[in-house]
Amino acid sequence: MSANSDKVKIIFGLKIRQLRLDKKLSLSEVAEKSGLSISYLNEIEKGKKYPKTEKIMALSDALDIDYDSLVSLKLSKQLEPIAELLNSNILTELPLEIFGVEPADFIELMSEAPAKISAFISTIIEISRNYDMRVEQFYFSVLRSYQEMYDNYFPDIEESAQQFRKLFEISEITSPNDTLLSDILQNFYGYQIEEFTRESHPDLITIRSVYNPKTSKLLVNGDLSPEQRAFTFGRELGYQFLQLKNRPYISSVIEVNSFEQVLNNFKASYFAGAVLINKNVLVDRLTYFFASPKWNGDMMLSIMRLFNATPEMFYHRLSNLMTSHFKINNLFFLRFNNEVDHKLFYLTKEMHLAKLHTPHGTALNEHYCRRWVSLTILKDLEKIQKEEGYDSEKVLCKAQVSEYIDTNNHYFVMSLAKPSPPNKKMNSSVTLGFAIDDNLRSMAQFLNDPALPRRKVNETCERCGAVDCTERMKPPLVLDKKHSLERLKQAIASLE
């Protein structure tokens, strides 16, 4: 929906259709009463045509409603949610075409079944309010669906990254560092780059960068690691090289104005990963890695260190290439944050290409399974930091085979844990999990390694029936409630 006139057409069409149905009139009957053709009335009801004044007067007579009420933009209470949707920016901001949905198709659906669509919209709004879902969360959920639909691999951005490397004569085996990318930003795109510190900008210390488009100045947190700086500069280059104008200017997305901003931020980030980690080099190394009969976390770390990339960027890049080059599509990505000396773990990012419901991080106010390697590796890192000091830049890599209790889901899961500057005493783990199927077994030769840990896991303590679990944080309240309901149903059934 591109203009206000489109909204006027749709609202008018919805009112005409609703009035006609309320009066139990067919299109042919309204056509006969108004002198308009059936095809023209059909176009009006679908929001494609807006009649001239004399035709609106003819419709008002045919439907027995005064002219002013008919042309008013106010809808009945039954259709108010649709009016709310039309007056919002959602239809404008969501690029429906990327999901194969034409805006006209969506509008026609609304005109065909306005009451049902109205009820559906009311339900979505109510769910969002009950779960306190912010518009940013909604946009990121849509983005995840977009990634999943394309298996998180986008050939057009890959090609752009290769063109960039060629333009600036970056060899295939080179992973550009922060110095090189900074020079390109300053000398080719006219950026001014300045570092800020805790002393100079104490209120900005939790974010990585801020860009001012008026002055072309990029403020960069002085506490960032070289790899974080390289990603920050790579993403800025992505915005410029891909000509993405509508973008957030703060590295941490505090609030966004449109879905386009979220999508462009993703595209620029993907571009940065493709520039920093040349796919041909990574595919070559991964082929050797998965051919090894023994699991070797140090080998995975050595591959990561070939590139000027953070563990998170490295795993994101790995997920791109696992789907495109190794045809391993049943995978998930998780990122957890954990503050030192705290027992709470926060899931801050997730992506699922497995199309399965476990594991999923959507449980609210529940305790994720403490047997997940995503969590145990964070506690292992914390122990090392207490011994070596919190300035340690130690990165851990561990893996396990996870068997989900009461399901047939088995995953090979590998995690990287690292400090998370600029936040002091905050650690992060990034995890890739692969559904164990025939495809993975044929590729990953180390799955039969007896030294590879195997653990029975679940989603959350509240949903788990493992009575002997020493890591349990909470009783299985959700599971108990489910069992109680099942017993009630059985008792009622026995009465029959």
Side-chain angles (χ1 to χ4, degrees):
M1 191 174 308
S2 57
N4 191 57
S5 61
D6 292 328
K7 298 176 186 177
V8 173
K9 290 178 186 176
I10 294 168
I11 290 176
F12 184 81
L14 289 172
K15 292 182 75 170
I16 293 294
R17 179 181 175 84
Q18 195 62 45
L19 285 167
R20 178 175 65 78
L21 294 177
D22 288 344
K23 295 179 181 296
K24 297 181 173 55
L25 295 172
S26 66
L27 276 172
S28 60
E29 288 173 321
V30 175
E32 184 178 350
K33 286 175 175 287
S34 64
L36 305 179
S37 69
I38 294 176
S39 60
Y40 187 63
L41 283 172
N42 192 42
E43 293 281 282
I44 291 173
E45 289 193 358
K46 290 183 177 180
K48 296 180 179 179
K49 299 286 187 181
Y50 191 85
K52 294 182 179 180
T53 302
E54 62 271 16
K55 293 181 179 179
I56 295 177
M57 294 180 68
L59 284 170
S60 70
D61 290 338
L63 296 170
D64 193 24
I65 184 174
D66 64 273
Y67 180 91
D68 290 340
S69 297
L70 194 57
V71 297
S72 168
L73 294 180
K74 185 177 181 180
L75 285 170
S76 65
K77 184 176 181 180
Q78 186 183 19
L79 300 177
E80 278 180 359
I82 288 183
E84 185 176 343
L85 178 68
L86 292 172
N87 290 324
S88 73
N89 293 325
I90 291 179
L91 289 181
T92 304
E93 293 167 356
L94 288 183
L96 297 173
E97 63 275 5
I98 69 176
F99 296 101
V101 178
E102 293 295 332
D105 296 335
F106 189 75
I107 292 168
E108 184 171 347
L109 178 61
M110 285 197 298
S111 68
E112 289 293 333
K116 293 179 180 179
I117 296 296
S118 176
F120 174 73
I121 294 168
S122 295
T123 301
I124 296 298
I125 293 172
E126 186 66 22
I127 291 173
S128 300
R129 288 170 178 166
N130 288 342
Y131 286 92
D132 193 25
M133 177 179 278
R134 304 188 310 275
V135 67
E136 292 88 352
Q137 293 171 308
F138 174 72
Y139 288 152
F140 282 113
S141 295
V142 175
L143 176 62
R144 286 196 296 270
S145 297
Y146 175 63
Q147 291 176 261
E148 292 163 10
M149 186 171 67
Y150 290 97
D151 287 332
N152 201 34
Y153 184 76
F154 297 89
D156 55 334
I157 307 179
E158 296 281 349
E159 177 61 28
S160 294
Q162 292 302 316
Q163 291 175 1
F164 175 88
R165 294 177 66 96
K166 183 177 181 180
L167 176 65
F168 291 100
E169 299 180 343
I170 302 172
S171 71
E172 184 171 281
I173 61 173
T174 298
S175 177
N177 59 24
D178 58 318
T179 301
L180 174 59
L181 299 180
S182 173
D183 287 344
I184 295 174
L185 276 175
Q186 294 178 92
N187 297 325
F188 196 82
Y189 290 105
Y191 271 54
Q192 301 179 56
I193 299 177
E194 292 183 10
E195 285 193 359
F196 66 87
T197 64
R198 296 175 182 273
E199 291 73 26
S200 64
H201 294 79
D203 293 332
L204 301 181
I205 202 60
T206 59
I207 63 175
R208 296 185 180 185
S209 65
V210 182
Y211 177 64
N212 186 335
K214 295 180 179 179
T215 61
S216 296
K217 180 179 289 187
L218 181 67
L219 290 176
V220 181
N221 195 317
D223 287 340
L224 297 186
S225 68
E227 293 79 14
Q228 289 175 321
R229 289 169 59 87
F231 172 72
T232 297
F233 298 148
R235 183 169 55 189
E236 288 297 326
L237 288 165
Y239 288 128
Q240 299 298 331
F241 195 78
L242 300 176
Q243 298 182 10
L244 304 174
K245 304 301 183 185
N246 189 2
R247 50 158 293 185
Y249 296 114
I250 303 173
S251 59
S252 302
V253 182
I254 300 173
E255 62 179 11
V256 293
N257 298 320
S258 67
F259 176 73
E260 186 182 7
Q261 285 190 354
V262 173
L263 183 61
N264 286 344
N265 180 68
F266 165 73
K267 290 180 177 179
S269 299
Y270 190 108
F271 176 89
V275 167
L276 291 167
I277 304 176
N278 191 347
K279 62 182 178 181
N280 296 329
V281 176
L282 182 54
V283 167
D284 183 59
R285 297 300 190 278
L286 289 175
T287 301
Y288 284 104
F289 173 77
F290 284 109
S292 172
K294 300 289 185 182
W295 159 255
N296 189 336
D298 290 336
M299 184 186 296
M300 177 58 70
L301 288 174
S302 68
I303 295 174
M304 182 187 75
R305 292 182 180 119
L306 292 173
F307 310 100
N308 290 303
T310 64
E312 181 173 347
M313 174 51 61
F314 177 66
Y315 264 20
H316 267 299
R317 191 68 179 132
L318 205 157
S319 74
N320 303 147
L321 303 182
M322 291 302 295
T323 61
S324 60
H325 289 70
F326 295 93
K327 307 306 177 186
I328 303 295
N329 299 317
N330 292 330
L331 62 85
F332 65 84
F333 172 92
L334 303 175
R335 183 184 71 190
F336 279 94
N337 285 348
N338 172 240
E339 193 173 348
V340 173
D341 290 327
H342 284 68
K343 295 182 179 180
L344 294 179
F345 298 86
Y346 297 97
L347 181 63
T348 55
K349 188 177 291 186
E350 63 177 323
M351 178 185 67
H352 299 266
L353 305 184
K355 311 302 181 188
L356 299 173
H357 293 294
T358 54
H360 243 281
T362 54
L364 294 177
N365 301 318
E366 296 183 22
H367 294 73
Y368 299 109
C369 179
R370 264 45 180 183
R371 297 179 179 182
W372 286 1
V373 68
S374 306
L375 307 189
T376 59
I377 194 173
L378 283 168
K379 288 306 172 186
D380 292 340
L381 178 61
E382 182 179 307
K383 291 178 182 177
I384 293 173
Q385 289 173 327
K386 288 183 177 179
E387 295 173 358
E388 299 182 0
Y390 293 110
D391 291 332
S392 171
E393 297 182 359
K394 186 79 172 180
V395 179
L396 299 183
C397 181
K398 295 194 174 185
Q400 71 183 44
V401 172
S402 294
E403 175 187 348
Y404 277 78
I405 298 171
D406 300 327
T407 76
N408 293 319
N409 296 335
H410 291 71
Y411 288 88
F412 166 68
V413 184
M414 55 184 187
S415 291
L416 292 170
K418 62 177 183 62
S420 189
N423 298 324
K424 297 294 185 181
K425 291 193 175 182
M426 179 69 75
N427 295 323
S428 298
S429 71
V430 289
T431 299
L432 273 178
F434 307 91
I436 297 179
D437 52 21
D438 291 341
N439 196 12
L440 186 70
R441 290 189 187 95
S442 65
M443 185 191 71
Q445 300 301 306
F446 50 70
L447 285 178
N448 294 323
D449 181 2
L452 183 62
R454 287 163 169 78
R455 302 202 73 183
K456 290 184 179 292
V457 303
N458 216 320
E459 287 194 280
T460 66
C461 296
E462 288 82 348
R463 299 170 188 269
C464 181
V467 295
D468 60 342
C469 178
T470 58
E471 295 94 339
R472 180 180 289 282
M473 301 296 294
K474 287 286 183 178
L477 302 176
V478 175
L479 186 64
D480 289 346
K481 185 176 181 179
K482 177 182 177 182
H483 289 166
S484 178
L485 181 60
E486 289 173 352
R487 288 193 297 269
L488 177 60
K489 289 180 179 179
Q490 290 173 1
I492 294 173
S494 66
L495 296 176
E496 299 175 359

